[in-house]
Short mmCIF file of all heavy atoms in Angstrom, two decimals:
data_model
loop_
_atom_site.label_atom_id
_atom_site.label_comp_id
_atom_site.label_asym_id
_atom_site.label_seq_id
_atom_site.Cartn_x
_atom_site.Cartn_y
_atom_site.Cartn_z
N VAL A 77 10.77 4.37 16.91
CA VAL A 77 11.09 5.03 15.64
C VAL A 77 10.65 6.48 15.69
O VAL A 77 11.40 7.39 15.31
CB VAL A 77 10.44 4.29 14.45
CG1 VAL A 77 10.53 5.10 13.18
CG2 VAL A 77 11.08 2.92 14.26
N ILE A 78 9.43 6.70 16.15
CA ILE A 78 8.90 8.08 16.24
C ILE A 78 9.78 8.92 17.16
O ILE A 78 10.15 10.05 16.81
CB ILE A 78 7.43 8.06 16.74
CG1 ILE A 78 6.54 7.43 15.66
CG2 ILE A 78 6.95 9.47 17.08
CD1 ILE A 78 5.12 7.13 16.13
N GLU A 79 10.14 8.36 18.30
CA GLU A 79 11.00 9.09 19.26
C GLU A 79 12.35 9.43 18.63
O GLU A 79 12.84 10.56 18.75
CB GLU A 79 11.20 8.23 20.51
CG GLU A 79 12.07 8.88 21.56
CD GLU A 79 12.31 7.94 22.74
OE1 GLU A 79 11.43 7.10 23.04
OE2 GLU A 79 13.37 8.07 23.36
N THR A 80 12.96 8.48 17.94
CA THR A 80 14.26 8.69 17.30
C THR A 80 14.18 9.78 16.24
O THR A 80 15.05 10.66 16.16
CB THR A 80 14.78 7.38 16.68
OG1 THR A 80 14.84 6.38 17.70
CG2 THR A 80 16.16 7.57 16.07
N ILE A 81 13.12 9.74 15.43
CA ILE A 81 12.93 10.75 14.39
C ILE A 81 12.76 12.13 15.03
O ILE A 81 13.34 13.12 14.57
CB ILE A 81 11.71 10.40 13.51
CG1 ILE A 81 11.95 9.13 12.72
CG2 ILE A 81 11.32 11.55 12.59
CD1 ILE A 81 12.97 9.22 11.62
N HIS A 82 11.98 12.20 16.10
CA HIS A 82 11.76 13.48 16.78
C HIS A 82 13.05 14.02 17.39
O HIS A 82 13.30 15.23 17.37
CB HIS A 82 10.69 13.35 17.84
CG HIS A 82 9.31 13.38 17.26
ND1 HIS A 82 8.18 13.37 18.04
CD2 HIS A 82 8.86 13.41 15.99
CE1 HIS A 82 7.11 13.40 17.26
NE2 HIS A 82 7.50 13.41 16.02
N GLU A 83 13.88 13.13 17.93
CA GLU A 83 15.16 13.55 18.51
C GLU A 83 16.06 14.19 17.45
O GLU A 83 16.89 15.03 17.76
CB GLU A 83 15.88 12.36 19.15
CG GLU A 83 15.25 11.91 20.46
CD GLU A 83 15.85 10.61 20.99
OE1 GLU A 83 16.71 10.00 20.30
OE2 GLU A 83 15.42 10.18 22.07
N LYS A 84 15.88 13.80 16.21
CA LYS A 84 16.68 14.37 15.11
C LYS A 84 16.05 15.64 14.56
O LYS A 84 16.55 16.22 13.61
CB LYS A 84 16.82 13.33 14.00
CG LYS A 84 17.61 12.10 14.48
CD LYS A 84 17.83 11.13 13.35
CE LYS A 84 19.15 11.50 12.74
NZ LYS A 84 19.64 10.64 11.72
N GLY A 85 14.93 16.07 15.14
CA GLY A 85 14.28 17.29 14.70
C GLY A 85 13.40 17.10 13.47
O GLY A 85 13.02 18.06 12.81
N ALA A 86 13.08 15.85 13.15
CA ALA A 86 12.25 15.53 11.99
C ALA A 86 10.89 15.03 12.45
O ALA A 86 10.64 14.87 13.64
CB ALA A 86 12.96 14.49 11.13
N THR A 87 10.01 14.79 11.49
CA THR A 87 8.67 14.29 11.80
C THR A 87 8.33 13.11 10.91
O THR A 87 9.04 12.83 9.93
CB THR A 87 7.60 15.39 11.59
OG1 THR A 87 7.64 15.83 10.24
CG2 THR A 87 7.83 16.56 12.53
N ILE A 88 7.25 12.43 11.25
CA ILE A 88 6.76 11.28 10.47
C ILE A 88 5.34 11.57 10.05
O ILE A 88 4.54 12.11 10.82
CB ILE A 88 6.79 9.98 11.31
CG1 ILE A 88 8.22 9.64 11.70
CG2 ILE A 88 6.16 8.83 10.53
CD1 ILE A 88 8.33 8.42 12.60
N LYS A 89 5.03 11.17 8.83
CA LYS A 89 3.67 11.35 8.33
C LYS A 89 3.27 10.11 7.54
O LYS A 89 4.08 9.59 6.77
CB LYS A 89 3.61 12.59 7.43
CG LYS A 89 2.22 12.93 6.94
CD LYS A 89 2.24 14.22 6.15
CE LYS A 89 0.83 14.59 5.73
NZ LYS A 89 0.79 15.84 4.99
N THR A 90 2.03 9.65 7.75
CA THR A 90 1.52 8.54 6.95
C THR A 90 0.65 9.10 5.83
O THR A 90 -0.06 10.09 6.02
CB THR A 90 0.68 7.56 7.80
OG1 THR A 90 -0.42 8.26 8.37
CG2 THR A 90 1.51 6.92 8.90
N LEU A 91 0.73 8.48 4.67
CA LEU A 91 -0.05 8.95 3.53
C LEU A 91 -1.54 8.65 3.69
O LEU A 91 -2.36 9.30 3.06
CB LEU A 91 0.47 8.33 2.24
CG LEU A 91 1.91 8.70 1.86
CD1 LEU A 91 2.29 8.06 0.53
CD2 LEU A 91 2.10 10.21 1.81
N ASP A 92 -1.87 7.68 4.54
CA ASP A 92 -3.29 7.39 4.76
C ASP A 92 -3.94 8.35 5.76
O ASP A 92 -5.12 8.24 6.06
CB ASP A 92 -3.51 5.94 5.19
CG ASP A 92 -2.95 5.63 6.58
OD1 ASP A 92 -2.41 6.52 7.25
OD2 ASP A 92 -3.07 4.45 6.99
N GLY A 93 -3.16 9.31 6.26
CA GLY A 93 -3.69 10.33 7.14
C GLY A 93 -3.81 9.93 8.60
O GLY A 93 -4.30 10.69 9.43
N THR A 94 -3.33 8.75 8.93
CA THR A 94 -3.44 8.26 10.31
C THR A 94 -2.54 9.03 11.26
O THR A 94 -2.90 9.25 12.41
CB THR A 94 -3.03 6.77 10.37
OG1 THR A 94 -3.77 6.05 9.41
CG2 THR A 94 -3.28 6.19 11.74
N LEU A 95 -1.39 9.46 10.79
CA LEU A 95 -0.39 10.04 11.67
C LEU A 95 0.34 11.19 11.01
O LEU A 95 0.72 11.12 9.85
CB LEU A 95 0.62 8.94 12.06
CG LEU A 95 1.76 9.33 12.97
CD1 LEU A 95 1.24 9.53 14.39
CD2 LEU A 95 2.81 8.24 12.97
N ASP A 96 0.52 12.26 11.78
CA ASP A 96 1.35 13.39 11.37
C ASP A 96 1.95 13.95 12.65
O ASP A 96 1.28 14.63 13.43
CB ASP A 96 0.53 14.46 10.65
CG ASP A 96 1.39 15.63 10.17
OD1 ASP A 96 2.60 15.68 10.51
OD2 ASP A 96 0.84 16.50 9.49
N THR A 97 3.23 13.63 12.90
CA THR A 97 3.85 14.01 14.17
C THR A 97 4.35 15.44 14.19
O THR A 97 4.96 15.86 15.18
CB THR A 97 5.00 13.06 14.54
OG1 THR A 97 6.05 13.18 13.58
CG2 THR A 97 4.53 11.62 14.62
N SER A 98 4.09 16.19 13.13
CA SER A 98 4.48 17.60 13.16
C SER A 98 3.59 18.38 14.14
O SER A 98 3.98 19.42 14.64
CB SER A 98 4.40 18.22 11.76
OG SER A 98 3.07 18.20 11.28
N ASN A 99 2.44 17.85 14.43
CA ASN A 99 1.53 18.44 15.42
C ASN A 99 1.92 17.88 16.79
O ASN A 99 1.82 16.68 17.03
CB ASN A 99 0.08 18.06 15.08
CG ASN A 99 -0.91 18.68 16.02
OD1 ASN A 99 -0.56 19.21 17.08
ND2 ASN A 99 -2.17 18.60 15.65
N THR A 100 2.38 18.75 17.70
CA THR A 100 2.89 18.29 19.00
C THR A 100 1.93 18.57 20.15
O THR A 100 2.34 18.56 21.31
CB THR A 100 4.25 18.94 19.29
OG1 THR A 100 4.08 20.37 19.28
CG2 THR A 100 5.28 18.52 18.27
N SER A 101 0.68 18.80 19.85
CA SER A 101 -0.29 19.04 20.92
C SER A 101 -0.50 17.76 21.73
O SER A 101 -0.23 16.66 21.25
CB SER A 101 -1.63 19.50 20.32
OG SER A 101 -2.27 18.41 19.69
N PRO A 102 -0.98 17.88 22.97
CA PRO A 102 -1.23 16.69 23.79
C PRO A 102 -2.19 15.70 23.10
O PRO A 102 -1.99 14.49 23.17
CB PRO A 102 -1.86 17.25 25.07
CG PRO A 102 -1.32 18.64 25.16
CD PRO A 102 -1.20 19.10 23.74
N LEU A 103 -3.19 16.21 22.41
CA LEU A 103 -4.12 15.34 21.71
C LEU A 103 -3.41 14.58 20.58
O LEU A 103 -3.63 13.38 20.39
CB LEU A 103 -5.30 16.14 21.16
CG LEU A 103 -6.39 15.33 20.47
CD1 LEU A 103 -6.97 14.27 21.41
CD2 LEU A 103 -7.49 16.24 19.96
N ALA A 104 -2.54 15.26 19.86
CA ALA A 104 -1.80 14.62 18.78
C ALA A 104 -0.88 13.53 19.33
O ALA A 104 -0.76 12.45 18.74
CB ALA A 104 -0.99 15.64 17.99
N LYS A 105 -0.24 13.80 20.48
CA LYS A 105 0.63 12.79 21.10
C LYS A 105 -0.19 11.58 21.54
O LYS A 105 0.24 10.44 21.38
CB LYS A 105 1.37 13.39 22.30
CG LYS A 105 2.47 14.34 21.89
CD LYS A 105 3.17 14.90 23.10
CE LYS A 105 4.25 15.88 22.70
NZ LYS A 105 4.92 16.48 23.84
N ALA A 106 -1.38 11.83 22.06
CA ALA A 106 -2.26 10.72 22.45
C ALA A 106 -2.65 9.90 21.23
O ALA A 106 -2.74 8.67 21.28
CB ALA A 106 -3.49 11.25 23.17
N MET A 107 -2.89 10.59 20.11
CA MET A 107 -3.25 9.90 18.87
C MET A 107 -2.12 9.00 18.39
O MET A 107 -2.36 7.90 17.87
CB MET A 107 -3.63 10.90 17.78
CG MET A 107 -5.01 11.51 17.96
SD MET A 107 -6.34 10.29 18.03
CE MET A 107 -6.24 9.60 16.39
N ILE A 108 -0.88 9.45 18.55
CA ILE A 108 0.27 8.65 18.16
C ILE A 108 0.26 7.33 18.93
O ILE A 108 0.41 6.25 18.35
CB ILE A 108 1.60 9.41 18.39
CG1 ILE A 108 1.72 10.57 17.42
CG2 ILE A 108 2.80 8.48 18.28
CD1 ILE A 108 2.83 11.53 17.73
N ASN A 109 0.07 7.44 20.25
CA ASN A 109 0.04 6.23 21.07
C ASN A 109 -1.14 5.35 20.70
O ASN A 109 -1.02 4.12 20.63
CB ASN A 109 -0.02 6.60 22.56
CG ASN A 109 1.30 7.14 23.05
OD1 ASN A 109 2.35 6.71 22.63
ND2 ASN A 109 1.23 8.10 23.96
N LEU A 110 -2.27 5.96 20.42
CA LEU A 110 -3.46 5.20 20.05
C LEU A 110 -3.25 4.49 18.71
O LEU A 110 -3.61 3.32 18.56
CB LEU A 110 -4.67 6.14 19.97
CG LEU A 110 -6.03 5.49 19.83
CD1 LEU A 110 -6.30 4.51 20.96
CD2 LEU A 110 -7.10 6.56 19.79
N CYS A 111 -2.67 5.18 17.75
CA CYS A 111 -2.39 4.56 16.44
C CYS A 111 -1.45 3.38 16.59
O CYS A 111 -1.65 2.32 15.97
CB CYS A 111 -1.79 5.58 15.49
SG CYS A 111 -2.96 6.83 14.96
N GLY A 112 -0.43 3.54 17.40
CA GLY A 112 0.50 2.44 17.64
C GLY A 112 -0.19 1.26 18.29
O GLY A 112 0.07 0.11 17.96
#
Side-chain angles (χ1 to χ4, degrees):
V77 169
I78 292 170
E79 180 184 330
T80 303
I81 294 290
H82 281 184
E83 287 172 357
K84 296 184 92 174
T87 59
I88 297 176
K89 184 176 183 179
T90 60
L91 297 182
D92 67 1
T94 308
L95 180 73
D96 182 354
T97 65
S98 63
N99 182 347
T100 59
S101 72
L103 183 58
K105 287 180 181 178
M107 284 302 295
I108 291 169
N109 288 324
L110 190 57
C111 290

